[in-house]
Amino acid sequence: RKEVEQDPGPFNVPEGATVAFNCTYSNSASQSFFWYRQDCRKEPKLLMSVYSSGNEDGRFTAQLNRASQYISLLIRDSKLSDSATYLCVVNVQDNYGQNFVFGPGTRLSVLP
Amino acid sequence: NAGVTQTPKFQVLKTGQSMTLQCAQDMNHNSMYWYRQDPGMGLRLIYYSASEGTTDKGEVPNGYNVSRLNKREFSLRLESAAPSQTSVYFCASSPDTQGVYSNQPQHFGDGTRLSIL
């Protein structure tokens, strides 16, 4: 099983829609969780950290479910500018030692 | 405010050639990281440095070496490039000295696109 898995994409949604992504992780000892966005041929940029109690930043809400080992990202009122690939990042202990593991990403296209 | 700067942005090498990818950050961060990103895969950690003078292997270190020259600079060297090392390389930094144990987010450079023929 892969360390970090994400919803397969692409997600094509109309402008104004609400869309949610999930990310599951296999290591129960993971402590750090983040969502990054990556535009085509650009570097990843931090969208938000994910805290145990859940957190919100404008139209974006991140939640952590430790019992089920997943994190989620909810985007409300989608904008065209939200089109990007969303990467979840988890800090894990794996065969190589402690590591930041990036999910493969979920691609979102917001359509006019 | 430049953040994390990587040079070069593009490079084409022949198999067996060597080269060094440069990375510098001006945010006074302690931890620095090198990743590679291949199509359909997440970023994979090559090496990291939790503080000046220390370096540690990540998930995919084979074929690479690194040098933490000072607090600002962290270079990645390919001694004998192979086609399997064709990738996009990202350098990143984070504020604390925890390296991969960090709870702090990372700031990325805009990448080096490397092709090895």
Side-chain angles (χ1 to χ4, degrees):
Chain A
R1 179 182 173 183
K2 294 181 181 177
E3 297 283 355
V4 177
E5 297 187 75
Q6 294 189 240
D7 283 351
F11 283 57
N12 299 315
V13 303
E15 210 172 354
T18 295
V19 61
F21 307 137
N22 283 332
C23 170
T24 58
Y25 60 95
S26 59
N27 189 301
S28 61
S30 299
Q31 294 297 322
S32 306
F33 308 90
F34 307 95
W35 282 104
Y36 282 75
R37 69 170 280 165
Q38 186 174 26
D39 294 293
C40 187
R41 300 180 68 80
K42 298 289 187 180
E43 73 276 19
K45 292 184 178 180
L46 178 70
L47 182 64
M48 55 200 306
S49 302
V50 185
Y51 303 120
S52 295
S53 57
N55 47 301
E56 186 174 308
D57 183 2
R59 297 181 294 108
F60 299 86
T61 301
Q63 292 195 320
L64 167 63
N65 186 317
R66 286 192 183 274
S68 299
Q69 296 182 203
Y70 75 84
I71 63 174
S72 63
L73 177 68
L74 181 75
I75 305 175
R76 291 180 298 278
D77 189 22
S78 300
K79 310 292 185 190
L80 297 176
S81 58
D82 294 334
S83 296
T85 297
Y86 290 83
L87 311 173
C88 76
V89 184
V90 180
N91 176 282
V92 301
Q93 179 82 31
D94 61 15
N95 292 335
Y96 309 98
Q98 194 75 16
N99 210 345
F100 279 115
V101 180
F102 283 71
T106 299
R107 188 170 175 184
L108 172 66
S109 292
V110 180
L111 308 173
Chain B
N1 185 0
V4 179
T5 303
Q6 292 184 234
T7 55
K9 295 194 184 314
F10 303 93
Q11 184 71 47
V12 179
L13 294 177
K14 294 180 179 179
T15 297
Q17 286 186 314
S18 62
M19 81 160 293
T20 300
L21 280 62
Q22 307 287 352
C23 175
Q25 51 87 14
D26 62 2
M27 297 176 284
N28 200 34
H29 284 178
N30 288 288
S31 293
M32 297 185 74
Y33 313 82
W34 275 107
Y35 292 89
R36 60 178 290 172
Q37 186 175 34
D38 301 297
M41 302 183 71
L43 279 76
R44 291 181 292 169
L45 183 64
I46 304 171
Y47 270 95
Y48 69 96
S49 169
S51 62
E52 184 179 350
T54 69
T55 61
D56 286 283
K57 295 179 180 180
E59 180 185 354
V60 289
N62 292 343
Y64 305 95
N65 285 303
V66 290
S67 295
R68 184 71 182 269
L69 304 171
N70 47 56
K71 190 173 184 179
R72 289 187 64 248
E73 299 173 286
F74 187 39
S75 63
L76 178 72
R77 183 163 178 82
L78 286 70
E79 291 292 350
S80 179
S84 61
Q85 294 177 305
T86 293
S87 188
V88 180
Y89 291 85
F90 288 103
C91 176
S93 68
S94 64
D96 62 23
T97 58
Q98 301 303 306
V100 291
Y101 296 87
S102 176
N103 290 323
Q104 297 181 321
Q106 298 172 39
H107 301 259
F108 284 81
D110 55 9
T112 295
R113 284 165 176 76
L114 181 62
S115 293
I116 298 159
L117 307 176

